[in-house]
């Protein structure tokens, strides 16, 4: 069963991060965007630091390499990504935001080609990434009027969020330092939260704790902090070491799939023909990117079946 561990974790991460967009939308009705992101990582960072102290012998960063990992995580994966995303998501259509965030694997491929050649995809793999992106576009189905109505600055902010996350993923691999995942996650979250608070103050966002007690606001904050952040990034950093920056960032293709499925299960939203076509394109993209691993897996299953028949 250990052979399927990465797949199970990948799908779990896609589900956790896919449903996070619902919580973000709900929370933005009650919180200023950057402060909302900061509070999310205040909670997640404290939870993860407590967990790291319990399971890691030395939870403090040691040496230049480990501090660089924390710096990259705090500035790019936490602060920059979430500040750009939360602010931009206020004034973009859902379709445009989904497409822009899903550009992360494409951007990661470009960064990896320059910074981490071992993670770069072959030409066939690049075609797979493009097919996956096309699948997301088909599922989102943006209309020309939607795209023309989207605020240009907000669209740029969401694009910068995807670019920040992609660069952070590649730089984390590029640094090459080893550090317990729990410690890296905890300190990155706390550092990112501090940067987000500073940005919130600089933007002059209002502070009104009375509004935060609304059940929807509290529910969104708790879900994002504990499930999407603490659990989600724990899985993300674990898979980053195993799969590389390009492959793990393809989770942004699968997350919209889970959002559509949960919408169908919980909100009675219809999965129509274009959505099914989009799913097919995403699957085709994964097959191209993971073709060697899939070929090895088919060979393994054939050998196992043959031996069981004997």
């Amino acid at each position: 069963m250990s052979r399927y561990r990465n797949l199970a974790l990948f799908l779990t991460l896609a589900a956790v991060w896919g449903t996070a967009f619902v919580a973000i939308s709900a929370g933005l009705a009650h919180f200023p965007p950057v402060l909302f992101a900061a509070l999310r990582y205040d909670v997640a960072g404290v939870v993860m630091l407590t967990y790291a102290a319990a399971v890691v012998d030395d939870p403090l960063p040691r040496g230049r390499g480990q501090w660089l990992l924390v710096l990259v995580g705090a500035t790019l994966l936490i602060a920059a990504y979430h500040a750009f995303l939360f602010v931009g998501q206020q004034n973009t259509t859902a379709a445009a935001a989904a497409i822009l965030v899903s550009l992360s694997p494409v951007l990661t491929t470009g960064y990896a080609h320059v910074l981490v050649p071992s993670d770069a995809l072959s030409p066939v793999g690049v075609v797979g990434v493009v097919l996956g992106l096309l699948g997301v576009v088909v599922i989102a189905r943006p209309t020309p009027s939607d795209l023309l109505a989207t605020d240009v600055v907000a669209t740029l902010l969401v694009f910068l969020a995807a670019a920040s996350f992609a660069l952070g993923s590649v730089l984390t691999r590029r640094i090459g330092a080893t550090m317990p995942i729990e410690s890296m996650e905890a300190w990155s979250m706390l550092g990112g939260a501090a940067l987000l608070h500073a940005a919130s103050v600089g933007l002059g966002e209002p502070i009104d704790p009375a509004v935060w007690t609304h059940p929807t606001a509290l529910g969104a904050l708790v879900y994002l902090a504990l499930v999407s952040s603490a659990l989600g990034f724990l899985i993300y950093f674990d898979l980053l070491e195993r799969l590389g920056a390009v492959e793990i960032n393809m989770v942004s293709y699968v997350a919209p799939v889970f959002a559509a499925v949960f919408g169908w299960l919980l909100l009675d939203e219809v999965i129509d023909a274009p959505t099914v076509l989009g799913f097919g394109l995403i699957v085709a993209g994964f097959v191209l990117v993971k073709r060697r691993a899939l070929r090895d897996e088919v060979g393994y299953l054939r050998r196992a079946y043959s031996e069981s028949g004997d």
Side-chain angles (χ1 to χ4, degrees):
M1 295 301 293
S2 60
R3 295 178 61 86
Y4 305 100
R5 175 182 181 277
N6 289 348
L7 175 60
L9 289 177
F10 186 93
L11 293 177
T12 300
L13 180 61
V16 166
W17 281 2
T19 53
F21 283 98
V22 178
I24 291 173
S25 296
L28 286 175
H30 304 276
F31 294 99
V34 178
L35 181 60
F36 184 23
L39 293 173
R40 169 184 179 177
Y41 285 103
D42 285 336
V43 177
V46 170
V47 169
M48 283 309 304
L49 185 59
T50 303
Y51 178 66
V55 300
V56 177
D57 293 334
D58 183 8
L60 294 175
R62 303 291 182 181
R64 178 175 176 271
Q66 291 190 357
W67 278 109
L68 280 176
L69 285 177
V70 171
L71 179 63
V72 168
T75 55
L76 294 174
L77 297 179
I78 303 297
Y81 172 72
H82 291 90
F84 288 138
L85 177 63
F86 278 46
V87 174
Q89 194 171 331
Q90 290 184 307
N91 298 301
T92 56
T93 64
I99 293 170
L100 290 167
V101 170
S102 295
L103 283 172
S104 181
V106 179
L107 297 170
T108 302
T109 302
Y111 290 137
H113 182 73
V114 176
L115 299 174
V116 188
S118 62
D119 278 358
L121 294 175
S122 66
V124 176
V126 172
V127 173
V129 170
V130 174
L131 275 179
L133 177 60
L134 181 59
V136 174
V137 173
V138 171
I139 292 172
R141 296 194 300 281
T143 64
S145 59
D146 286 337
L147 293 177
L148 291 174
T150 299
D151 183 82
V152 176
V153 174
T155 301
L156 177 61
L157 290 174
V158 178
F159 173 81
L160 289 176
S164 298
F165 199 88
L167 180 59
S169 300
V170 174
L171 287 178
T172 298
R173 292 273 291 179
R174 171 75 175 181
I175 292 169
T178 58
M179 183 178 183
I181 295 173
E182 299 84 358
S183 299
M184 178 187 176
E185 182 176 339
W187 290 109
S188 295
M189 287 179 172
L190 290 173
L195 292 174
L196 287 166
H197 277 294
S200 177
V201 172
L203 292 171
E205 291 186 333
I207 298 177
D208 185 7
V211 180
W212 308 345
T213 60
H214 190 281
T216 300
L218 290 176
L221 181 60
V222 170
Y223 182 82
L224 289 172
L226 300 184
V227 181
S228 298
S229 299
L231 175 62
F233 273 99
L234 194 64
I235 296 173
Y236 174 81
F237 284 123
D238 178 64
L239 289 178
L240 180 62
E241 293 182 357
R242 298 170 183 272
L243 302 180
V246 172
E247 291 190 26
I248 183 54
N249 272 0
M250 289 191 76
V251 73
S252 64
Y253 284 161
V254 188
V257 176
F258 275 92
V261 171
F262 277 104
W264 172 60
L265 291 174
L266 302 177
L267 304 176
D268 295 325
E269 294 178 349
V270 177
I271 298 180
D272 53 15
T275 301
V276 174
L277 174 60
F279 289 176
L281 290 171
I282 291 172
V283 171
F286 270 110
V287 169
L288 290 179
V289 171
K290 297 291 291 181
R291 64 194 183 282
R292 294 188 179 90
L294 290 172
R295 183 176 62 241
D296 293 342
E297 185 64 23
V298 170
Y300 167 80
L301 292 175
R302 285 178 175 174
R303 289 191 300 271
Y305 179 78
S306 176
E307 292 172 359
S308 64
D310 295 338

